[in-house]
């Protein structure tokens, strides 16, 4: 049976399934049924069901009878799975072939003359990242602030990163603590850690960073969130790697969910909230620094009001000031939120 395209699947999921269920309820389909006459609304769905083998002619050719979908499914799905595996293998071979060219390029005089800084914008950022990750030979370091990553972006990153992991490339990723609450982020983490990646979380805000093989780093452009800079200057890349390593040592493993570790994370987010209040940042800025929504940040502040018996932010600030609370000190365990109250 030839392969079927996505537009046929769309027709199958809507009109063809409905028509099949109607035939199944009736037990058969009369060949003179007006719904399947040439040009009728259900004709395309009928032709697809016949092509798939879900409708079979009755022995006396007096009509059409429904076929067991289980016997048809394998004939449709298995060829697609085989083709998908073939394309993945072909993609891997192309990647290996280009890897040899990339090594030759990096040894050539032309590579040495290449500009140490490259600016890219918009969709070119994704193309750039795909290219440099595909070139990775030994290591990828990434720091990803929680805000601004959609489910689609994470799905694309999962495909890109798992391909690198399966080539034997080491991957370490840093998130903010708030990433632990994100379902799509947890799915991404599960996908990459099952292939050997390491993921940790940190309380403090940081900008996005990707370093490949300690030879090229991609960072946001300072003046535009829709632009990025690829840096190949060895001294700058080494400096960025050092910043990453220092943050990595302070971070906590994503997979660790022991109560003591969760209490520590709650305390770190509580302290960060207090520092944002003491420093006078606006709620949107503070929420971004913690990697949470403004609504969640407001809930954090409400928890602090309850903890210090304050009804307004002014009272909260006054009370914390009298007690010398700055967010930089270590709070005793009895002051920590617990259970469902933890940040």
């Amino acid at each position: 049976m030839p392969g079927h395209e996505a537009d046929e699947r769309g027709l199958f999921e809507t009109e063809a399934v409905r028509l099949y269920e109607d035939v199944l309820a009736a037990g058969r389909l009369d060949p003179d049924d007006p719904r399947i006459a040439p040009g009728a609304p259900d004709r395309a769905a009928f032709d697809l069901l016949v092509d798939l083998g879900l409708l079979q002619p009755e022995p006396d050719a007096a009509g059409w009878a429904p076929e067991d979908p289980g016997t048809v499914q394998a004939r449709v799905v298995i060829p697609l799975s085989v083709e998908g595996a073939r394309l993945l293998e072909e993609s891997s071979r192309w990647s290996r072939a280009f890897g040899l060219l990339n090594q030759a390029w990096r040894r050539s005089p032309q590579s040495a003359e290449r500009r140490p800084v490259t600016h890219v914008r918009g969709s070119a950022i994704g193309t750039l990242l795909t290219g440099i990750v595909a070139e990775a030979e030994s290591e990828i370091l990434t720091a990803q602030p929680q805000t601004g990553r959609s489910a689609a972006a994470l799905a694309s990153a999962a495909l890109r990163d798992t391909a690198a992991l399966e080539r034997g490339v080491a991957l370490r990723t840093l998130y903010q603590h708030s990433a632990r609450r994100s379902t799509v982020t947890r799915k991404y983490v599960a996908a990459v850690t099952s292939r050997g990646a390491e993921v940790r979380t940190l309380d403090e805000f940081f900008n996005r960073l990707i370093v490949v093989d300690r030879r090229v780093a991609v960072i946001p452009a300072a003046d535009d969130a829709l632009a990025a800079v690829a840096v190949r200057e060895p001294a700058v890349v080494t400096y960025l790697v050092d910043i990453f390593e220092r943050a990595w040592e302070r971070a906590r493993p994503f997979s660790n969910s022991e109560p003591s570790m969760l209490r520590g994370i709650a305390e770190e987010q509580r302290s960060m909230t207090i520092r944002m209040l003491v420093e006078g940042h606006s709620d949107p800025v503070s929420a971004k620094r913690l990697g949470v929504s403004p609504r969640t940040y407001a809930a954090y502040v409400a928890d602090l009001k309850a903890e210090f018996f304050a009804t307004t932010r002014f009272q909260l600030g006054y009370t914390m000031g009298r007690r010398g609370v700055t967010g930089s000190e270590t709070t005793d365990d009895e002051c920590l939120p617990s259970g469902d109250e933890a940040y």
Side-chain angles (χ1 to χ4, degrees):
M1 175 179 293
H4 291 274
E5 304 296 332
D7 56 345
E8 291 180 305
R9 178 180 48 75
L11 175 64
F12 177 74
E13 289 175 326
T14 55
E15 300 176 30
V17 167
R18 175 181 50 79
L19 178 60
Y20 177 83
E21 290 175 342
D22 290 345
V23 176
L24 198 62
R28 63 185 300 275
L29 179 65
D30 192 278
D32 297 326
D33 192 305
R35 293 176 296 174
I36 63 172
D42 286 339
R43 180 67 193 201
F46 168 74
D47 289 339
L48 179 58
L49 289 172
V50 172
D51 183 45
L52 290 171
L54 285 167
L55 291 181
Q56 298 284 350
E58 295 177 331
D60 55 2
W64 298 90
E67 178 65 34
D68 179 3
T71 63
V72 176
Q73 179 179 352
R75 298 201 302 269
V76 175
V77 174
I78 289 178
L80 291 173
S81 299
V82 170
E83 178 64 9
R86 186 192 69 79
L87 289 173
L88 285 173
E89 175 61 23
E90 188 65 18
S91 172
S92 178
R93 290 180 177 179
W94 275 102
S95 179
R96 289 194 295 270
F98 271 100
L100 296 174
L101 290 182
N102 290 327
Q103 294 176 29
W105 165 262
R106 287 194 288 274
R107 292 192 298 267
S108 70
Q110 291 89 342
S111 177
E113 296 169 1
R114 192 173 184 179
R115 290 186 302 169
V117 176
T118 304
H119 291 262
V120 291
R121 295 184 57 84
S123 60
I125 298 175
T127 303
L128 170 71
L129 290 176
T130 299
I132 66 171
V133 171
E135 294 177 7
E137 298 174 1
S138 59
E139 179 189 59
I140 300 173
L141 308 176
T142 72
Q144 300 286 359
Q146 178 60 11
T147 54
R149 298 203 85 193
S150 65
L154 276 169
S156 176
L159 291 174
R160 186 176 64 222
D161 295 343
T162 53
L165 288 163
E166 289 171 356
R167 296 198 312 271
V169 177
L171 172 65
R172 284 187 286 158
T173 295
L174 272 174
Y175 279 109
Q176 290 170 274
H177 287 328
S178 54
R180 295 170 180 266
R181 290 176 171 266
S182 169
T183 301
V184 292
T185 302
R186 289 200 300 270
K187 288 181 179 179
Y188 164 82
V189 172
V192 296
T193 53
S194 67
R195 292 169 171 82
E198 294 181 79
V199 182
R200 296 183 182 183
T201 64
L202 198 62
D203 64 324
E204 60 197 66
F205 172 80
F206 44 80
N207 261 322
R208 186 165 284 113
L209 168 68
I210 298 177
V211 182
V212 175
D213 291 342
R214 307 199 177 202
R215 60 178 177 76
V216 57
V218 180
I219 58 176
D223 57 346
D224 191 343
L226 299 178
V229 179
V231 180
R232 295 180 176 83
E233 170 56 47
V236 177
V237 174
T238 299
Y239 179 80
L240 293 171
V241 170
D242 181 64
I243 293 175
F244 178 92
E245 295 290 1
R246 292 171 185 268
W248 181 262
E249 290 301 319
R250 298 193 304 274
R252 299 172 182 266
F254 195 104
S255 58
N256 188 340
S257 58
E258 295 178 359
S260 60
M261 199 270 311
L262 295 179
R263 285 197 300 272
I265 287 176
E267 170 59 14
E268 288 174 1
Q269 291 192 292
R270 173 186 177 277
S271 298
M272 188 75 169
T273 303
I274 293 174
R275 292 198 297 274
M276 294 298 97
L277 290 169
V278 170
E279 294 170 12
H281 297 290
S282 66
D283 282 11
V285 170
S286 299
K288 181 179 180 181
R289 292 285 296 271
L290 273 90
V292 299
S293 68
R295 183 176 180 179
T296 300
Y297 176 75
Y300 289 1
V301 175
D303 288 343
L304 287 172
K305 287 180 182 178
E307 179 182 338
F308 289 96
F309 302 101
T311 57
T312 67
R313 290 199 182 192
F314 177 80
Q315 287 179 317
L316 176 61
Y318 177 76
T319 303
M320 289 194 302
R322 288 193 61 185
R323 298 187 185 183
V325 177
T326 65
S328 300
E329 63 285 331
T330 301
T331 304
D332 294 335
D333 286 347
E334 60 267 20
C335 295
L336 295 178
S338 61
D340 293 337
E341 298 174 350
Y343 295 135

